[in-house]
Amino acid sequence: MMLQLLEKVIELENWTEGKGLIVRGAKNTFSSGSDLNAVKSLGTPEDGMALCMFMQNTLTRFMRLPLISVALIQGWALGGGAEFTTACDFRLMTADSEIRFVHKEMGIIPSWGGATRLVEIIGSRQALKVLSGALKLDSKKALNIGMVEEVLQSSDETECLGEAQEWLKQFIRGPPEVIRALKRSVSSGKELCLEEALQTEKDLVGTVWGGPANKEAIARKGKFNK
């Protein structure tokens, strides 16, 4: 699955017209965590470090995609699955779903960037509680601490996907070049120092200023819809 995820990320890196994506699991389960039989065969610190480096690289590349991403959390998102949700820009949950960073119970810590990203999402105090307590975050608790944006009305696999698609539409409405530039600008603001982020912003505006979408917007009556 990890190799398939990397392949999918590479495919998305070459999707030049894309604006957004939804990540979800099969059969109403986002991800139930590692296959323990596979984990047993990776028992040395060197194995753990290699796995860590592979998944950190894959999820960092995923985060840097110029696409607005949403994790659609149905059922369980445990362990590495919980870490994957933090690599998405937004998270939506069904009412009966659960996020849990179970790493402490397994005698390890998150190593795919999950702890670092969790601090950014909910703050250091809440992140420490969630990780050290291996807390079960049901939809209500996750919403209260700012882990997710919204709890969906339906738990049906097809219907909740439709809800998630409708939710995402509000953020990807517009020309691909503008949406993609916005995502790149925000990503650089998170990762780079101020001077480098400002330079990136300047470079990005040069790709859209005077472009078709900009000219069309200027030609419209009025500056914006109130």
Side-chain angles (χ1 to χ4, degrees), residues 103-122:
H103 305 75
K104 186 189 79 168
E105 303 298 323
M106 302 300 296
I108 57 173
I109 64 171
S111 60
W112 299 354
T116 301
R117 293 188 296 267
L118 188 64
V119 169
E120 185 178 82
I121 294 166
I122 62 174

Side-chain angles (χ1 to χ4, degrees), residues 103-151:
H103 305 75
K104 186 189 79 168
E105 303 298 323
M106 302 300 296
I108 57 173
I109 64 171
S111 60
W112 299 354
T116 301
R117 293 188 296 267
L118 188 64
V119 169
E120 185 178 82
I121 294 166
I122 62 174
S124 59
R125 289 176 65 250
Q126 288 287 5
L128 188 57
K129 289 180 184 178
V130 168
L131 297 175
S132 64
L135 300 183
K136 296 179 180 179
L137 299 178
D138 59 26
S139 57
K140 183 178 179 181
K141 186 177 293 183
L143 185 64
N144 285 341
I145 66 172
M147 182 71 186
V148 300
E149 324 309 315
E150 194 171 303
V151 179

Side-chain angles (χ1 to χ4, degrees), residues 122-198:
I122 62 174
S124 59
R125 289 176 65 250
Q126 288 287 5
L128 188 57
K129 289 180 184 178
V130 168
L131 297 175
S132 64
L135 300 183
K136 296 179 180 179
L137 299 178
D138 59 26
S139 57
K140 183 178 179 181
K141 186 177 293 183
L143 185 64
N144 285 341
I145 66 172
M147 182 71 186
V148 300
E149 324 309 315
E150 194 171 303
V151 179
L152 300 175
Q153 296 289 320
S154 177
S155 293
D156 176 79
E157 192 167 9
T158 302
E159 290 180 7
C160 70
L161 176 59
E163 283 188 65
Q165 290 170 333
E166 284 300 313
W167 189 90
L168 178 57
K169 280 181 183 178
Q170 64 188 310
F171 302 109
I172 60 172
R173 193 175 294 115
E177 64 271 20
V178 175
I179 304 301
R180 293 167 69 88
L182 283 169
K183 172 62 188 287
R184 284 193 174 106
S185 181
V186 171
S187 294
S188 68
K190 286 198 304 183
E191 294 189 45
L192 305 177
C193 69
L194 178 61
E195 187 175 339
E196 291 175 327
L198 290 173

